[in-house]
């Protein structure tokens, strides 16, 4: 999970979701308790972001930084790409 705040970009790790179709309140509380920030960067260090193709997967978020480095994330093909496009839009200021 990634988040965009006015001053920071955060990459957040959560515990794996329950393997059953239905989750219980205890499953949800366990997932929230296991949430932690694994990476962060100042928002000013982000040069831009875009969603595009990577091999056969059209859902690759590429975040470019002002120092020339970049990070890329993909989601499974079955997952929706709308959240990635929202993050790219927030990071690019569009």
């Amino acid at each position: 999970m990634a988040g965009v705040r006015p001053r920071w970009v955060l990459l957040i790790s959560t515990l794996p979701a329950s393997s059953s179709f239905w989750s219980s309140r205890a499953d949800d509380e366990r997932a929230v308790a296991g949430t932690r920030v694994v990476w962060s960067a100042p928002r000013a260090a982000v040069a831009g972001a875009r969603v595009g193709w990577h091999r056969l997967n059209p859902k690759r978020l590429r975040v470019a930084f002002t120092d020339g480095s970049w990070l890329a994330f993909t989601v499974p093909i079955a997952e929706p790409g709308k959240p990635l496009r929202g993050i790219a839009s927030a990071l690019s200021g569009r």
Side-chain angles (χ1 to χ4, degrees):
M1 172 187 302
V4 178
R5 304 290 303 161
R7 296 183 184 174
W8 289 92
V9 178
L10 306 173
L11 181 63
I12 301 167
S13 171
T14 59
L15 291 175
S18 172
S19 60
S20 69
F21 182 73
W22 302 103
S23 66
S24 67
R25 183 179 195 122
D27 291 337
D28 295 342
E29 290 172 357
R30 184 179 63 85
V32 169
T35 301
R36 62 188 174 97
V37 175
V38 294
W39 177 85
S40 65
R43 176 63 184 85
V46 177
R50 64 182 173 87
V51 176
W53 283 83
H54 176 66
R55 298 191 179 158
L56 297 176
N57 188 340
K59 298 173 207 149
R60 178 184 187 212
L61 171 65
R62 187 175 191 272
V63 181
F65 296 94
T66 55
D67 66 357
S69 63
W70 54 272
L71 291 172
F73 306 92
T74 59
V75 296
I77 292 191
E79 295 293 321
K82 188 174 181 178
L84 291 182
R85 289 189 296 275
I87 292 170
S89 178
L91 288 171
S92 298
R94 292 186 250 143

